[in-house]
Amino acid sequence: MSESNSTKQSTREQFIKYAKKGEILLNQCTKCKNIMLETVYYCDKCFSNSFRQVSYSGRGRVVTYTIQSVAPEGFEDVSSYAWVIFKLDDCDVNVSGFLPGVSTPADLPLGSKIQVIDFHEKHGLILQKY
């Protein structure tokens, strides 16, 4: 875990910058230290709205996923993919992302190791198995 100090970039720009380094930018409540996604506006433990940004490794394990074997309009650039929910290794937070090349459940058993490798404007967090 490391703390983010950049205030000149928007939160979205910072999130993308960290994702491109294989990390996830999260919020930590300054009152109770609870860790949550940076899109949350109030702490789900103490209801504070005071946060500091922290980054964690973008590595985790698959919790669940949906396979899209027929790409919807706008996603013709990939033949099949999974939209993956994964739990980060370093904290108790679930994150979602895009994993190309998955066409059957055998390609992605639950518990598979996943890591963030990039961010794409259309697909969001880009993942790979490791």
Side-chain angles (χ1 to χ4, degrees), residues 57-116:
S57 160
R59 290 181 170 220
R61 294 191 180 264
V62 173
V63 174
T64 191
Y65 57 89
T66 298
I67 296 174
Q68 191 70 39
S69 55
V70 178
E73 185 176 331
F75 286 77
E76 295 88 357
D77 57 327
V78 290
S79 58
S80 65
Y81 63 90
W83 188 255
V84 178
I85 307 288
F86 64 104
K87 181 182 177 296
L88 293 175
D89 287 342
D90 299 333
C91 66
D92 193 25
V93 173
N94 288 341
V95 180
S96 61
F98 180 87
L99 180 61
V102 176
S103 56
T104 70
D107 296 335
L108 191 63
L110 293 180
S112 295
K113 293 178 180 182
I114 295 293
Q115 66 184 2
V116 174

Side-chain angles (χ1 to χ4, degrees), residues 4-128:
S4 168
N5 294 330
S6 178
T7 57
K8 294 182 183 192
Q9 293 179 317
S10 72
T11 300
R12 181 181 185 336
E13 290 169 329
Q14 289 178 54
F15 184 86
I16 292 169
K17 180 178 96 174
Y18 278 85
K20 289 182 175 290
K21 296 188 309 183
E23 298 177 14
I24 297 291
L25 188 62
L26 300 170
N27 277 341
Q28 182 178 42
C29 176
T30 57
K31 184 175 178 184
C32 74
K33 307 300 183 222
N34 185 36
I35 303 290
M36 63 212 91
L37 292 174
E38 54 87 22
T39 55
V40 174
Y41 298 108
Y42 293 94
C43 176
D44 61 359
K45 298 226 188 259
C46 74
F47 305 107
S48 171
N49 64 351
S50 176
F51 304 108
R52 71 181 181 105
Q53 291 182 325
V54 292
S55 67
Y56 280 84
S57 160
R59 290 181 170 220
R61 294 191 180 264
V62 173
V63 174
T64 191
Y65 57 89
T66 298
I67 296 174
Q68 191 70 39
S69 55
V70 178
E73 185 176 331
F75 286 77
E76 295 88 357
D77 57 327
V78 290
S79 58
S80 65
Y81 63 90
W83 188 255
V84 178
I85 307 288
F86 64 104
K87 181 182 177 296
L88 293 175
D89 287 342
D90 299 333
C91 66
D92 193 25
V93 173
N94 288 341
V95 180
S96 61
F98 180 87
L99 180 61
V102 176
S103 56
T104 70
D107 296 335
L108 191 63
L110 293 180
S112 295
K113 293 178 180 182
I114 295 293
Q115 66 184 2
V116 174
I117 59 166
D118 202 355
F119 184 89
H120 186 276
E121 284 299 318
K122 182 172 35 172
H123 303 307
L125 289 174
I126 304 299
L127 309 174
Q128 75 176 15

